[in-house]
Structures are given as structure tokens and as C-alpha cells.
Amino acid sequence: MRPSARFAYGLRVHGLAGVTELMPAGTDPLPEVTVRQDADSPRPAPHPLDHRRGVRLLADGRHLAVDRERRTAVFHGPPLTPDLLAHPYLASVATTFNRWAGRETFHAGGFIRDGRVWAVTGPRTAGKSSLLAALAARGVPVVADDVLVLDGTDVFAGPRCIDLREPVPGVALPSGPARASTRTRIQLPPIRHRTPLGGWFFLHWGDAVEVAPVPATALLARLAAWRSWHQLPTDPAVLLTLAALPAWDLSRPRDWGTLDQVCALLEATPATAVVLP
């Protein structure tokens, strides 16, 4: 094993030794991927992701070529800076190689309470990152900001950062500009590589701060819709297990003045849940 390997999203990542947001890989056996950049070769034609390979046209015009057998992910186009590789570009690599490894991946973040991860998910405008940053400022461990990778019911830690579009009141954590100064990057401390999942929170905007349980049948449909790369096979038993965990809809107003109340509710609600062993 190469000592420069880094850990993120349950993968042993090579080629990103200088990306400080990634933790050391350690010695646990993990799926491996080497990340490279190629600014000179002709860009490969887009190819739908299948069980062996794929070439994805990214929103900025770059191409991402992934190869399961070679265990490579190559970004074609202008070179990316280390902060961009850490987030958001590594997420596309992570979802692909983890789905190939038989794991489930979701667009979600998560925090740790009572030794378990509580997923926080919602659309991109739901305020997920700002809420996780507020929890981190209160000493709550954050597992990931944007992608949750699950091996069964275990969640893997993501890069140790949260990116914010605007300042969040009360968040006084180490930070700096990132992504060509379009974001403020909050630095997160290292945590365990994997932690069991406890349940789910779905974020919504509303008139009041409140939580409401999500029935298991509704949760199953949501998880099936929110998982990454639908064209790759999913074990129905895994989704059924995940849907048996407790879940809540969390509504709150677009008002920073309710932030303490929301964080307190997020931390207190899991204590009422019955989770699987």
C-alpha cells in the first residue's frame, strides 16, 4: 500500500496526497482509485456509465473518465486546484466507485449523535451545509457535507470540510476562501472512518420549527429516488434495511434567529428513536 494514499468516502485514493481535506487512508482494506488530470490529450467522447466504465460531461465543460478495471478517474480539461478536487469534484468519483463496489450513495450530509450518524438530506437549496456548519460550531461531529456513502448501514466519512455560500451566525471555526473565492470553506477535524447509521432527517422550509415522523413506506420510496446512479444494480434488502430506520421531516423558517432551536431539535430528536442493533 502506498503511504501517500488518502481516505474519503470509503475509498483509498491515490494521486491526491496534497489535498489536505482528506484524511490518511490507514491500513484497512478499501476499494482503490487513482485520480489524475489530463489537460493535453483529446477529451474522450461521453459514454453512459455502465458496470465497467463511463465518461461524464461535467457542468463546467470538463470530462470525467472512470474505469473500473484500471481503477482510475481522469479529469480532462483545465487543471483543477486541490481545493476543487477535495470538493466538489471528488464526489462524482466517489459515487461511481462506491456504487461499483456494491455500496449505496446519497446526496446528503450527516452528523454524529450517541455514536450514530444521522443523515441530513434535501434539495440543494434546503440549507443543509449551513445547518451542518452550525452543528459543527456547537461541537457536534459532522461526517460529510454533500455525499453519504453507506456500506450496509455503516457511513463513511467524507472530506473534512463544509463549503458555505454565505456566513452563518455563530459559526466561528477555522475557515478560508475556496473554489476561486466563491465559497467559505469550514475546516472540520478528523473523525473515525466509519460509523453506523441511526436514521434520516429531510429538510424543508416552513413557517415553524417542527419535526414529523416519516413512515417506512414513504421513506423507502424516497431512498430509492435519492440514491445515485440508478442504472447500476441495487440490493433491495439493503434499501429495506435503511428504510426500517427512523426518519423525520424537519421544517423551519428562513430565519437565522431560529438556528439555535433547529440545532437543539436535531440533537434531541434522535434520543427518542429506536434504532436497529
Side-chain angles (χ1 to χ4, degrees), residues 1-8 10-19 22-26 28-37 70-75 85 90 93 97:
M1 296 182 183
R2 285 176 271 172
S4 60
R6 313 299 287 182
F7 173 91
L11 300 175
R12 183 180 303 278
V13 183
H14 304 284
L16 299 184
V19 178
L22 307 186
M23 295 185 290
D28 292 339
L30 296 168
E32 302 197 26
V33 58
T34 297
V35 178
R36 295 191 289 107
Q37 300 194 65
R70 296 178 179 176
R71 296 182 291 186
T72 57
V74 183
F75 290 99
L85 286 166
L90 186 58
V93 177
F97 278 84

Side-chain angles (χ1 to χ4, degrees), residues 11-101:
L11 300 175
R12 183 180 303 278
V13 183
H14 304 284
L16 299 184
V19 178
T20 58
E21 292 88 345
L22 307 186
M23 295 185 290
T27 58
D28 292 339
L30 296 168
E32 302 197 26
V33 58
T34 297
V35 178
R36 295 191 289 107
Q37 300 194 65
D38 188 341
D40 301 319
S41 301
R43 300 184 189 186
H47 184 284
L49 183 68
D50 56 30
H51 69 284
R52 295 186 304 157
R53 60 182 288 264
V55 179
R56 181 182 178 187
L57 175 60
L58 304 179
D60 62 2
R62 291 179 175 86
H63 290 208
L64 170 60
V66 289
D67 190 300
R68 184 178 186 179
E69 182 177 349
R70 296 178 179 176
R71 296 182 291 186
T72 57
V74 183
F75 290 99
H76 294 266
L80 293 160
T81 55
D83 64 308
L84 286 169
L85 286 166
H87 182 65
Y89 285 86
L90 186 58
S92 294
V93 177
T95 55
T96 302
F97 278 84
N98 274 295
R99 292 290 281 114
W100 277 337

Side-chain angles (χ1 to χ4, degrees), residues 163-224:
D163 286 356
L164 301 176
R165 289 185 174 86
E166 59 179 309
V168 176
V171 174
L173 295 171
S175 64
R179 297 163 70 171
S181 297
T182 63
R183 301 288 192 276
T184 297
R185 176 158 294 179
I186 304 295
Q187 300 173 23
L188 299 174
I191 60 170
R192 292 176 55 189
H193 283 186
R194 60 192 297 162
T195 306
L197 181 68
W200 306 84
F201 284 96
F202 293 87
L203 298 184
H204 308 275
W205 299 114
D207 296 328
V209 178
E210 56 188 3
V211 293
V214 177
T217 51
L219 178 58
L220 179 61
R222 293 189 195 186
L223 297 181

Side-chain angles (χ1 to χ4, degrees), residues 131 209 250-253 258-267:
L131 189 51
V209 178
L250 170 62
S251 298
R252 77 270 193 230
T258 65
L259 194 55
D260 284 338
Q261 183 183 356
V262 174
C263 288
L265 192 59
L266 270 175
E267 289 191 77

Side-chain angles (χ1 to χ4, degrees), residues 225-240:
W226 277 76
R227 73 192 191 282
S228 306
W229 304 114
H230 289 204
Q231 66 269 42
L232 298 179
T234 289
D235 184 351
V238 172
L239 284 183
L240 286 171

